[in-house]
Amino acid sequence: MLRAKDTFRKMYSAAKGYYCGGLAAPNAFSALDLRHPLTSSRKPPGHANPFRVRSFTQFTLPNDSADQEIVIALGSNVGDRVSTFDRALRLMRSSGIRITRHACLYETAPAYVTDQPRFLNSAVRGTTKLGPHELLRKLKEIEKDIGRTAGVRYGPRPIDLDILLYGDSRIRTESLIVPHERIHERPFVLAPLVDLLGSSGEDGMERRWHSLSKCSGGFFDLWNKLGGESMVGTEGIKRVMSVGNRLLDWRERTLVMGVLNLTPDSFSDGGKFQEVEAAISQARLLISEGADIIDIGAQSTRPFARRLSAEEELERLVPVLDAITKIPEMEGKLLSVDTFYAQVAAEAVKRGATMINDVSGGQLDPDILQVVAELGVPYVTMHMRGDPSTMQNEQNLKYDDVCKEVASGLYARLRAAELSGIPLWRIVLDPGIGFSKKSTQNIEVIAGLESIREEMGKMSLGASHVPILLGPSRKSFLGEICSRADPVERDAATASAVTIAILNGANIVRVHNVRYSVDAAKVSDALLKYRRK
């Protein structure tokens, strides 16, 4: 706690000395540096033109006014913080706020009053027809509904909702100041705020928002001056994902997902684990070898596989799922279900699954997005063109720039999930190794994971930070490289692919042979820690 307090004191001092320290007038905003926070190699997009922003001592909008783009910060350190955020988002949507983007989720040390529990912080971007003071009133009503009462300033609270930005307006009245006057000194506010922006500088509203920061480099410069991405993963601020009843920091180490196929026709182990006892035995083996997640699939998605109905898939899945949730070895482990059906996802979570892994990203059954949003579980959305029966046809294998196009496709699936109500902090991205890709394209994707992140960061920095899951296990491209016709003989090649993937930015690896990949992950993680020193 003392280290966290000292860290925040230093951050405050840096921000205080930098903010408006004679660097630029609010409208100067020249030479805006939109560097991606993950790398220092990106070039700034050039000079941004000055923007004129509106200033109000009193401000109202008629009911028929145009939608205003807004940013609202969320904070909580009392009770079930994640459930509180979920409830706040629902109430915001029902109060005239359309949420269009979510920031990542951050667990942060308390600032100002440090003798209190750690906070969860995030932010959302959206649109509303509500005037700024009417919006403020709605947010205060939501805080009251959730249980916030008057208390110690900066002290514990079940929910805190602040208007950070409202259109391109500067507002200063007795009850409301926009932009929020303490943005510059709060890493727990700046981290979610920059998540909602893109690094390309092509969004006109974002450029105007940067001009409101009172710094020549905009909000990105404010964030970097406080420490930026180098702070994330420290005791002061951690980027986390809500899974089950815990918060997962996927930066700490690579997670290994063990594959459990209940199908007769999967390319690697079809027919081996259809019986309940065989499936349970395999689950126990995967866990004993170090699996963090068990991913159960009852439908084959190999090329040209016959598609089962949701009812047929459930018939295979439910007996095994019910049995696996009861074994003591699953304590502390995550249980994922590989499905693209909304009906299967709902039933699986009802029976104990904690994650949904959808190879179609909502394209084969669009209802799954709304269902997963309501279920409140992490959602893996994968890149695939077409479906398993068409994904390897000539048209779906054409790419001018495979990494750039995979990034664009993944971002489209992420946006569809967000607009359906799945917050960014519950989304995992899978580039889809072996799905609508040739062997050389699979290699390009594994080697280019960082470029995929950077490409998405042009549109949304938050999207560039979410966990990446990669599944190269026993895929045919490894067989081609190593001349291994039998998929089971590709485990050593899989371990090699896993190592390269982790070093290039993968956070979760999906594999059949867990023992080899756990060792590969440990070595890769050690190398990454050495790099960061």
Side-chain angles (χ1 to χ4, degrees), residues 18 23 92 98 105 185 197 255 277-278 323 356 391 419 460:
Y18 179 72
L23 293 178
M92 287 163 66
R98 179 175 181 263
L105 189 66
E185 69 186 45
L197 310 175
L255 301 177
E277 287 306 314
I356 296 299
M391 64 184 182
L419 291 172
S460 162

Side-chain angles (χ1 to χ4, degrees), residues 298-316:
Q299 171 134 219
S300 176
T301 52
R302 64 175 176 77
F304 313 112
R306 182 182 77 85
R307 187 188 302 186
L308 300 181
S309 67
E311 290 74 19
E312 289 175 301
E313 189 174 324
L314 282 169
E315 189 175 343
R316 285 181 185 173

Side-chain angles (χ1 to χ4, degrees), residues 54-111:
R54 295 176 291 165
S55 181
F56 298 89
T57 53
Q58 291 185 338
F59 180 82
T60 58
L61 283 173
N63 291 332
D64 60 351
S65 63
D67 282 349
Q68 296 289 321
E69 279 208 71
I70 57 173
V71 174
I72 297 170
L74 298 89
S76 173
N77 74 334
V78 173
D80 186 338
R81 299 168 297 173
V82 175
S83 293
T84 296
F85 274 22
D86 289 338
R87 185 178 173 194
L89 295 181
R90 287 194 299 270
L91 290 172
M92 287 163 66
R93 292 189 188 98
S94 65
S95 299
I97 302 166
R98 179 175 181 263
I99 296 172
T100 57
R101 283 195 200 178
H102 307 75
C104 296
L105 189 66
Y106 295 87
E107 188 176 45
T108 64

Side-chain angles (χ1 to χ4, degrees), residues 155-354:
R157 75 288 305 270
I159 190 66
D160 190 14
L161 302 174
D162 286 322
I163 303 172
L164 300 183
L165 298 164
Y166 184 94
D168 59 3
S169 303
R170 289 189 190 281
I171 305 168
R172 181 171 288 272
T173 66
E174 288 186 6
S175 60
L176 181 62
I177 299 175
V178 176
H180 194 284
E181 61 183 342
R182 292 187 178 274
I183 288 177
H184 65 284
E185 69 186 45
R186 297 178 172 183
F188 57 89
V189 173
L190 273 171
L193 173 56
V194 298
D195 280 348
L196 300 171
L197 310 175
S199 67
S200 70
E202 295 176 359
D203 185 307
M205 180 56 74
E206 290 181 11
R207 288 163 69 88
R208 293 194 289 277
W209 281 345
H210 280 297
S211 73
L212 292 169
S213 71
K214 298 185 181 180
C215 286
S216 60
F219 289 113
F220 292 146
D221 231 7
L222 283 178
W223 170 233
N224 288 332
K225 285 290 180 178
L226 289 184
E229 191 63 20
S230 65
M231 286 193 301
V232 179
T234 67
E235 282 303 303
I237 181 168
K238 295 177 183 287
R239 191 177 287 125
V240 294
M241 179 170 65
S242 169
V243 189
N245 59 359
R246 60 177 163 147
L247 297 174
L248 190 66
D249 180 358
W250 65 90
R251 288 171 51 105
E252 290 181 348
R253 66 177 179 84
T254 303
L255 301 177
V256 177
M257 174 184 277
V259 179
L260 179 56
N261 286 320
L262 310 182
T263 56
D265 54 347
S266 289
F267 79 97
S268 171
D269 51 10
K272 289 186 176 182
F273 311 117
Q274 285 184 275
E275 299 300 322
V276 173
E277 287 306 314
I280 295 301
S281 177
Q282 179 66 6
R284 286 192 167 114
L285 174 64
L286 295 172
I287 293 169
S288 71
E289 291 181 340
D292 301 289
I293 310 166
I294 302 298
D295 187 47
I296 306 177
Q299 171 134 219
S300 176
T301 52
R302 64 175 176 77
F304 313 112
R306 182 182 77 85
R307 187 188 302 186
L308 300 181
S309 67
E311 290 74 19
E312 289 175 301
E313 189 174 324
L314 282 169
E315 189 175 343
R316 285 181 185 173
L317 175 67
V318 167
V320 173
L321 188 60
D322 285 348
I324 283 182
T325 54
K326 292 181 175 66
I327 64 174
E329 291 89 343
M330 280 302 300
E331 181 71 27
K333 304 298 180 181
L334 303 178
L335 186 57
S336 170
V337 167
D338 185 349
T339 186
F340 48 75
Y341 284 126
Q343 180 183 345
V344 176
E347 190 66 26
V349 173
K350 175 184 173 183
R351 293 174 179 272
T354 52

Side-chain angles (χ1 to χ4, degrees), residues 36 105 119 125 147 156 175 215 283 327 363 390 421 463 469 478 503 505 509:
H36 193 291
L105 189 66
F119 276 83
R125 178 173 172 176
S175 60
C215 286
I327 64 174
Q363 296 182 95
T390 64
L469 181 152
L478 297 176
L503 294 177
V509 291

